[in-house]
Amino acid sequence: MTEQVINQSSPPDPDPNPNPVIHPRRAPFEHGLLPIQNLVSPDNPIQTLAPIKQKLTYLATNNHRVGSSAISDALLISSDHARLVLDTLASVLHSETDPLVTAEPEEVDSIGADVRDLVLFLYVQSYKKLMPRTHKDSAAVADVWPSASAFDGYLSALSPIQLVRSNSRRFMPSPADEEAHQLSYLQKHMANIISLLADPVEGEGDESSVLSLESFEHIGFLLHFGDKGSDVPSLSHATPFFANSDPAVPVVPVPASQVHDWLLKNIASALETISDRVSGKEIGPSNASDQDACVALNEVSSNDRGPCIIEGVSKTSLFKQASDLKGRSVKVANCHDSVIYLLAPFRYATVYGCSDSTIVLGAAGKAVRVEHCERVHVIAATKRICIANCRECVFFLGVNQRPLIVGDNHKLQMAPYNTFYSHLEEHMTEVGIVPTINRWNESLALGAVDPHDSLSHPTGASDKQSESASCVDPDQFTNFLIPNWFAGEALGSTKDNPFPLPDAYRAVQQKSLKNLEETRQSLRETPLEDKRKRELTTAFHMHFKDWLYATGNIRQLYCLQGD
């Protein structure tokens, strides 16, 4: 039975934390969107979700949780898609102590998700992402991006899918633009969101529904307070109506209208702050996009709250380790013809709009998203990965969950993880990646059209499935050697690839090592005069040098020397 609201004779105390600013949680918007039909109606989510919430509540256990079976029944989706919903929700939840976050893979279905978190997750599926922006220096972009692609003209020149492709040559929206867009979405939909969490009470008017402290905390899935070192531990600590509650006394629910007004006031204030910040200085990508020197590019844009951003790296090698990446997530955007090493533990990683590059991601404990990339090799140890709108990319993965492929993709290839660095296992343990589980070859392809973009799509386009990925032939599989960037620093304990290779790949690797050793032995035992030995050595060096220049790897040597 819901407690009645106690009338307050005096206005609530002033906000206990007047300084912190409200922010949207980026994770649900950037890593929690799924192009699965039947999840929610983008046009009228509350009309769709209200009966779904009732059914989920009916199917829930005593602790208000539902597993894959209940989700499948309520949403009329397959069991595979229901499990995908659970895994995705777990990767973007706001509470690190939630049982779904801490569950072992085999326990996920039995533990399930809190209905309130699940309903908010489903509501966010109505979100439309901000369109990419054009670069302020079109000449720099023309110099970095190839002027033509093998796929240009493959489809109708005016098709929406090709419009999405053309956006891969645009630039990721600035963090301020994205934050304002997400806040505006929440501002517009906050009344519906609160209504899904509120409990009805007897009475009419503004106080006909209330929000308990427990339900209010679930809004933390979408919003949080804190900036520049002033983080508030939970959403309720920032409120005027829950912050000073006596733990020994039951907390009285608050009128939903009061919560709604308070949140809208804070969102409006945050939007004003963003507007002032953007108008005060131009927000844009770094000017490093056309630099060739390594030193000029060894800078990472970050702040105390947002992601570390590496943008515009071109024709060079870039190395960052744990001490360099201060944020809990990292974004690599619009990089071309480069090798980027991010050898650190982080929660989320995004690779956006890159081409002709190799990107090594250390250990991403929550999720990786690779979007609008061409001819990129991604090497990643992660819990989960989503690949969207990419062409001719190869992914060398140590991944605990099925790789997700969405959007308009072409000629993608998957291979098992193929490298290591000395702190890798330490970083994997820190973020919860299990080396004994690698589902690199179990990719799941969803819709070829992303319903969360802002483009219109022709009738029937949403019914098409994304092109799946093929596996790299074991004979073409090679290990990737990471240079010794840690010179002069304490080395970690990792001496080899922590992910066991499948038998076919391991057999090819052992055969290659055997052939190499036999060649070395043959050269050692071949009787040659000193002059012939020098000629042979010179020939080896010349062929190796030619290979370095032909592949562009010579730049890595220059950068390594420079460091």
Side-chain angles (χ1 to χ4, degrees), residues 440-452:
W440 65 273
N441 60 341
E442 301 177 40
S443 60
L444 177 62
L446 295 182
V449 168
D450 186 353
H452 304 106

Side-chain angles (χ1 to χ4, degrees), residues 109 134 150 155 204 229 289 292 302 361 363 375 413 536 549:
D109 285 320
T134 55
L155 296 181
E204 297 180 357
S289 59
D292 286 336
S302 66
L361 302 174
R375 299 175 300 281
Q413 290 184 284
L536 183 60
Y549 278 102

Side-chain angles (χ1 to χ4, degrees), residues 429-467:
T429 301
E430 181 177 336
V431 298
I433 299 171
V434 182
T436 55
I437 301 175
N438 192 359
R439 307 185 70 179
W440 65 273
N441 60 341
E442 301 177 40
S443 60
L444 177 62
L446 295 182
V449 168
D450 186 353
H452 304 106
D453 64 35
S454 299
L455 297 172
S456 60
H457 299 284
T459 303
S462 59
D463 297 329
K464 297 180 180 178
Q465 183 172 302
S466 182
E467 181 180 307

Side-chain angles (χ1 to χ4, degrees), residues 454-490:
S454 299
L455 297 172
S456 60
H457 299 284
T459 303
S462 59
D463 297 329
K464 297 180 180 178
Q465 183 172 302
S466 182
E467 181 180 307
S468 59
S470 62
C471 293
V472 170
D473 190 303
D475 289 331
Q476 303 298 318
F477 178 81
T478 58
N479 286 327
F480 184 85
L481 180 63
I482 295 177
N484 182 21
W485 299 99
F486 294 101
E489 298 186 15

Side-chain angles (χ1 to χ4, degrees), residues 346-400:
F346 30 76
R347 290 160 60 84
Y348 301 98
T350 300
V351 180
Y352 185 99
C354 297
S355 67
D356 301 289
S357 298
T358 296
I359 299 170
V360 184
L361 302 174
K366 292 293 186 180
V368 170
R369 183 176 179 88
V370 183
E371 188 170 9
H372 293 307
C373 290
E374 298 182 7
R375 299 175 300 281
V376 168
H377 286 199
V378 176
I379 304 173
T382 181
K383 190 163 288 185
R384 68 191 316 269
I385 186 170
C386 178
I387 302 158
N389 305 308
C390 292
R391 320 177 204 172
E392 302 178 65
C393 295
V394 186
F395 298 86
F396 298 87
L397 302 177
V399 59
N400 291 167

Side-chain angles (χ1 to χ4, degrees), residues 321 421-428 486 489-494:
Q321 56 184 327
Y421 58 96
S422 68
H423 292 285
L424 176 58
E425 288 171 299
E426 171 190 337
H427 292 168
M428 289 170 55
F486 294 101
E489 298 186 15
L491 296 178
S493 59
T494 303

Side-chain angles (χ1 to χ4, degrees), residues 50-339:
I52 288 177
K53 181 197 172 185
Q54 289 182 343
K55 189 168 185 179
L56 288 170
T57 303
Y58 173 76
L59 295 171
T61 59
N62 292 334
N63 56 359
H64 308 292
R65 305 187 77 87
V66 288
S68 295
S69 178
I71 294 172
S72 177
D73 290 345
L75 298 177
L76 302 178
I77 59 177
S78 69
S79 57
D80 282 348
H81 286 176
R83 176 57 188 259
L84 177 62
V85 166
L86 276 179
D87 287 337
T88 306
L89 174 58
S91 73
V92 297
L93 272 176
H94 57 301
S95 173
E96 291 297 321
T97 59
D98 188 280
L100 182 61
V101 176
T102 59
E104 297 295 329
E106 64 275 10
E107 299 173 334
V108 168
D109 285 320
S110 59
I111 289 176
D114 188 292
V115 170
R116 290 160 293 193
D117 290 329
L118 178 59
V119 167
L120 295 184
F121 172 82
L122 294 174
Y123 196 102
V124 170
Q125 303 305 313
S126 66
Y127 176 73
K128 296 282 188 180
K129 292 181 288 188
L130 190 62
M131 289 293 292
R133 57 188 170 86
T134 55
H135 195 285
K136 62 183 178 181
D137 184 356
S138 58
V141 176
D143 179 62
V144 170
W145 277 101
S147 59
S149 165
F151 287 94
D152 288 341
Y154 184 76
L155 296 181
S156 169
L158 299 179
S159 73
I161 291 179
Q162 198 164 36
L163 286 176
V164 173
R165 287 176 176 172
S166 70
N167 285 332
S168 67
R169 298 192 179 99
R170 297 190 178 194
F171 278 69
M172 184 176 62
S174 71
D177 290 340
E178 287 183 325
E179 183 167 353
H181 187 63
Q182 292 161 8
L183 281 173
S184 297
Y185 168 85
L186 293 173
Q187 185 181 49
K188 177 182 177 181
H189 293 274
M190 188 51 66
N192 289 341
I193 290 169
I194 290 176
S195 71
L196 288 170
L197 297 175
D199 297 313
V201 294
E202 294 180 4
E204 297 180 357
D206 291 341
E207 297 185 2
S208 60
S209 63
V210 296
L211 212 63
S212 68
L213 170 60
E214 185 181 6
S215 293
F216 177 80
E217 288 289 13
H218 288 274
I219 298 177
F221 177 73
L222 300 172
L223 290 164
H224 72 98
F225 275 89
D227 199 9
K228 296 186 177 179
S230 60
D231 287 343
V232 178
S234 70
L235 199 62
S236 62
H237 283 74
T239 69
F241 28 82
F242 289 130
N244 298 317
S245 301
D246 185 345
V249 179
V251 180
V252 177
V254 176
S257 59
Q258 184 179 344
V259 176
H260 177 254
D261 292 345
W262 180 79
L263 285 172
L264 287 189
K265 182 188 75 171
N266 280 276
I267 290 174
S269 176
L271 286 169
E272 185 177 348
T273 300
I274 294 172
S275 177
D276 292 343
R277 188 168 75 240
V278 172
S279 61
K281 64 176 182 178
E282 183 177 1
I283 303 295
S286 68
N287 293 324
S289 59
D290 55 355
Q291 299 288 332
D292 286 336
C294 303
V295 176
L297 292 167
N298 279 353
E299 296 180 359
V300 177
S301 171
S302 66
N303 57 45
D304 293 332
R305 177 180 47 80
C308 296
I309 299 176
I310 298 170
E311 186 169 18
V313 177
S314 177
K315 301 178 181 179
T316 190
S317 295
L318 179 69
F319 163 76
K320 293 296 171 187
Q321 56 184 327
S323 58
D324 301 315
L325 301 175
K326 304 296 184 183
R328 295 185 301 173
S329 61
V330 62
K331 289 187 176 182
V332 181
N334 311 306
C335 297
H336 170 67
D337 195 14
S338 298
V339 182

